[in-house]
Amino acid sequence: MNVPTPRLVVVSGLSGAGKNSILRALEDLGYEAVDNPPLRVVETLIGAAKPLAVGLDARTRDFSAAEIIETLARVRQTTGVQAELIFAIASSDALQRRFTETRRRHPLALQGTVSEGIATEQNLTRPLRDAADWVVDTSELPLAALRQMIERRFAVPAPGLANPSLAITLVSFAFPAGIPREADLVFDARFLRNPHYIPDLRPQTGLDAPVRAYIEADPDYAEFRERLVGLVAFLLPRFVREGKKYAMIAIGCTGGRHRSVTMIEMLAGVLRSQKWVVQVDHSAIRAEQRGADEQRFEPAPDQAGSTGPTGPVQRPASPATTGPGKSGDIRRFFMSGAFP
């Protein structure tokens, strides 16, 4: 009888960056989640029957980044234990906004300002961030997307997959928005002809067949496809041999909607046919959809139509009739950017 491999996931990060949300997502996947236990008892909690997720941050009693790193190193030397460290970050502006919106005190700024607490915690936890197996930036990440990332990375893969220990994320992006911070490989598809300049194709994306056909007809597409697939096929087994658990491959173009999406979809199809574990994120399209959701939930003008010096007076939208926990309430929470 096969005995399950004991698994430990340590979740740390900056206050307000989503550590608790990550722990809850792991708990929903069947992990035993323990938040901020004394560091000395962590090793005693590890068992084969159920994977363990432990939250450790600056609120932990006698917090020491060095001791956490030493504990993980010791656990990894234990035969058969798979241990990983996740570190959640967000920009200082995003953290400041979240604490302001939720009216929470920063745990390291009980007597000072939120910005002082953020800076103190960033310095205190820097060694953990540097040692992390996965640094996840939630600055512009909706809570639903964060949960999906956790589910895809830590759910038990289906049998028959090639190298299920390597989770591959394929990201399309727009260069003006910046290169994804976690990317291991970045490719530029801007040399391919741009559907943006074709009126019928402009409103579509690389998910639509006419856009894909237009890009695939580019004289350089076939060679680019062949070289890209060949390089990725060469590298992925070597990533596995090196012991990497996650690999992010990013392809960018100008708007992040046409060429990069087409190339990512092509690559995802090839890798899935080879039985790799693959998730896809079209970041520019996701950002557009998030913007559309925000517009749908903008406050409506006052029914009386009263106006002020600068135009109609707007009042907060009335509470959703869906009741607590329904999609209306959840979506407004996502848009606030407030991460526990």
Side-chain angles (χ1 to χ4, degrees):
M1 182 177 66
N2 293 329
V3 179
T5 301
R7 188 168 191 179
L8 168 67
V9 178
V10 173
V11 184
S12 189
L14 302 177
S15 300
K19 181 192 71 108
N20 290 341
S21 296
I22 294 173
L23 271 179
R24 284 196 292 269
L26 288 169
E27 187 173 28
D28 291 342
L29 291 175
Y31 284 70
E32 181 179 359
V34 183
D35 191 17
N36 278 312
L39 186 58
R40 65 181 180 276
V41 307
V42 170
E43 294 174 73
T44 68
L45 298 174
I46 301 172
K50 197 173 185 180
L52 176 66
V54 175
L56 295 172
D57 58 31
R59 295 177 296 122
T60 304
R61 182 187 304 175
D62 300 326
F63 172 82
S64 168
E67 289 186 18
I68 293 175
I69 294 170
E70 290 174 5
T71 299
L72 277 170
R74 187 165 55 249
V75 168
R76 284 168 175 151
Q77 292 173 357
T78 303
T79 303
V81 176
Q82 181 181 353
E84 298 174 75
L85 172 60
I86 303 175
F87 194 88
I89 66 169
S91 68
S92 297
D93 289 343
L95 295 175
Q96 180 84 39
R97 183 180 68 250
R98 291 170 187 174
F99 277 99
T100 300
E101 290 177 350
T102 59
R103 299 182 181 179
R104 295 169 52 208
R105 288 187 177 185
H106 193 285
L108 298 187
L110 299 181
Q111 304 297 327
T113 64
V114 171
S115 59
E116 291 172 344
I118 291 171
T120 299
E121 190 173 37
Q122 287 172 335
N123 292 330
L124 192 63
T125 60
R126 172 64 65 176
L128 283 180
R129 174 176 175 174
D130 294 340
D133 298 288
W134 179 31
V135 178
V136 56
D137 188 345
T138 68
S139 300
E140 302 295 334
L141 191 66
L143 185 55
L146 175 62
R147 290 184 62 87
Q148 290 172 1
M149 291 171 66
I150 297 300
E151 290 166 1
R152 288 168 179 165
R153 288 179 181 268
F154 292 97
V156 177
L161 294 175
N163 298 301
S165 62
L166 179 66
I168 303 167
T169 303
L170 305 180
V171 180
S172 64
F173 70 97
F175 272 98
I179 296 173
R181 298 181 185 181
E182 300 173 45
D184 297 288
L185 300 171
V186 178
F187 298 94
D188 189 342
R190 288 177 291 187
F191 65 91
L192 296 172
R193 60 184 185 178
N194 193 350
H196 175 81
Y197 297 107
I198 308 300
D200 291 342
L201 300 180
R202 182 180 302 169
Q204 301 183 52
T205 72
L207 299 174
D208 298 305
V211 170
R212 293 198 302 270
Y214 179 82
I215 294 171
E216 290 169 0
D218 187 299
D220 290 326
Y221 172 84
E223 184 174 357
F224 181 41
R225 181 189 187 281
E226 180 181 357
R227 290 176 179 269
L228 174 63
V229 170
L231 178 60
V232 172
F234 172 80
L235 290 174
L236 290 183
R238 287 158 179 80
F239 285 174
V240 173
R241 190 170 64 195
E242 182 192 357
K244 285 178 68 67
K245 300 300 181 185
Y246 312 109
M248 178 181 287
I249 303 172
I251 302 179
C253 62
T254 306
R257 302 179 66 254
H258 298 114
R259 294 166 290 182
S260 60
V261 173
T262 295
M263 298 307 301
I264 285 294
E265 288 293 314
M266 176 279 298
L267 187 57
V270 171
L271 294 180
R272 284 170 177 153
S273 71
Q274 298 172 353
K275 306 302 182 183
W276 290 97
V277 181
V278 176
Q279 62 170 311
V280 172
D281 178 18
H282 297 303
S283 60
I285 295 177
R286 172 165 52 81
E288 285 184 359
Q289 293 172 343
R290 185 168 69 244
D293 286 343
E294 288 176 340
Q295 289 181 358
R296 283 201 296 271
F297 284 93
E298 285 181 352
D302 181 41
Q303 292 182 351
S306 59
T307 60
T310 58
V313 175
Q314 304 232 341
R315 294 181 180 175
S318 59
T321 58
T322 52
K326 300 298 183 179
S327 59
D329 292 320
I330 293 173
R331 186 173 287 110
R332 279 194 290 275
F333 177 72
F334 291 168
M335 293 309 114
S336 74
F339 276 78

